[in-house]
Amino acid sequence: MRDSADSYDPAYGRVRRSRGRRQRKQYDDEATFARRDTHLPRLAAQEAGDATDGLPDGDRWSTWDQSTPTERGPVPHPVWLVTELAAVDTELGVLKTGKEADVCLVRRGVPGGRSCLLAAKRYRDAQHRLFHRDAGYLEGRRTRDTRVRRAAANRTAFGRQAIAGQWANAEFTALCQLYGAGLPVPYPVQITGTEVLLEFIGDPDGTGAPRLAETRPDAGELAGLWGQLVTALTELAGLGFAHGDLSPYNLLVHGGRLVMIDLPQVVDVIAHPNGRGFLDRDARNVATWFAARGLAVADPERLARLLAEEARLA
Ligand SMILES: Nc1ncnc2c1ncn2[C@@H]1O[C@H](COP(=O)(O)OP(=O)(O)OP(=O)(O)O)[C@@H](O)[C@H]1O
Ligand SMILES: [Mg+2]
C-alpha cells in the first residue's frame, strides 16, 4: 500500500507549514493543550513509566511517539498509518511462528477512531531460534559498541538480545531502502529493539495473505505473478542486492499483487565474494516453482543471467 499524500497530523501538519512564526506558536500551544487534555491517561502512564498502565490485558500505548525519526519508516508516512498519540496497540494473535521470529497481528487504533492492522515481527534471541545465520552473516555488520560486541561474542543474555536486535535492524534498514526505491515490500512502520512493525499484507478482517507456495494460480495469474517477480528481482539486482533467502515461502500474494518479505539477510552482491551465487540461488528457488507449474518462460538459468547483468556482474 503506498500513498504519495503527506501523513497529516491534525495537531501540527499543515498549520505549521502555512502560517507565520507567531501564529504558528499560538497554534502549537493550542495543539499541545488539546493533546494534553485528551491524553491525560496516557501522560499519567508515561510519567509512571508504564507502557500498559490503564489498558486492558494485551494492549499497550502505541510505541510510535517513543520512536525517533530514524526508527520510523520512510516519509511521507502512508495515510493509512495511525500516528496519533492517543493510539493503542492491541495484540490480536500470532500470524506465524517462524524459524527466527514470531509474527503477530496488531491493531493500532485510536479508541473510537481510526485504526490500521500491522504485522509485528519479533526476533527471538539465538537460544530460542531454530535456525542460525549469525556467524558469517553478521560478520560485515559488526557494531562499534565494544560492550555489545563482547557480550555478543560471549553470548550473554544481553549479547543474545543484541544479536536479535541486529537482525531486526538489518531487516528494517533493508525494507526502508527497498520501499523507498519502489520495490513491492511491506511498508516498514517502525523498529523497537527486537521488534519490526510492518504493514500487514492481508484482508481487513485480519486474514494474512497466503504465501506464493500455498496458492494455485491459473495460467493467466501465473504469468502475471512471474512478470511481477522478474520486475522486482531485476530492480533489486539493479540496486546491487540479492534477497538471499528467496523462495515461494517468502513471497506473499494479495489481490493479485506479489509482495516480497523476510529480508534481514539481504546480500550486497558487489561486496560479497559470492554475490553471484546468491543471485543464482534466488533465481533457481523461484523459477523452478513457476516452471513446475507449467510456465515455459520460467527458466532458472536465464533469470540468473538477467539478474547478474542487472547487477553488472556478468
Ligand atoms: N507484513 C506481513 N503481513 C502479513 N503476514 C506476514 C507479514 N510478514 C510476515 N508475515 C507472515 O509471517 C510469516 C513469517 O514471516 P517471515 O518469513 O518474515 O519470518 P521468518 O521468521 O523468517 O519465518 P520463516 O522461518 O517461516 O521464513 C510469513 O510467511 C507470513 O505468513
Ligand atoms: Mg520467511
Side-chain angles (χ1 to χ4, degrees), residues 96 98-101 103 119 121 199-201 211 250 261-262:
K96 180 145 190 320
K99 292 188 289 290
E100 296 168 290
V103 182
K121 183 166 178 180
E199 169 188 357
F200 170 66
I201 310 296
R211 293 171 294 177
N250 283 334
I261 60 162
D262 200 6

Side-chain angles (χ1 to χ4, degrees), residues 183-251:
L183 269 90
V185 295
Y187 177 75
V189 172
Q190 210 183 316
I191 178 166
T192 313
T194 55
E195 176 187 274
V196 184
L197 279 178
L198 304 164
E199 169 188 357
F200 170 66
I201 310 296
D203 297 339
D205 70 358
T207 309
R211 293 171 294 177
L212 178 65
E214 298 158 348
T215 62
R216 298 279 169 271
D218 63 29
E221 291 163 343
L222 197 68
L225 291 169
W226 172 254
Q228 292 179 53
L229 180 66
V230 173
T231 304
L233 291 183
T234 47
E235 285 173 6
L236 190 64
L239 293 170
F241 294 122
H243 181 288
D245 189 27
L246 193 65
S247 78
Y249 292 91
N250 283 334
L251 293 163

Side-chain angles (χ1 to χ4, degrees), residues 173-189:
T173 305
L175 283 171
C176 288
Q177 184 173 0
L178 302 184
Y179 183 90
L183 269 90
V185 295
Y187 177 75
V189 172

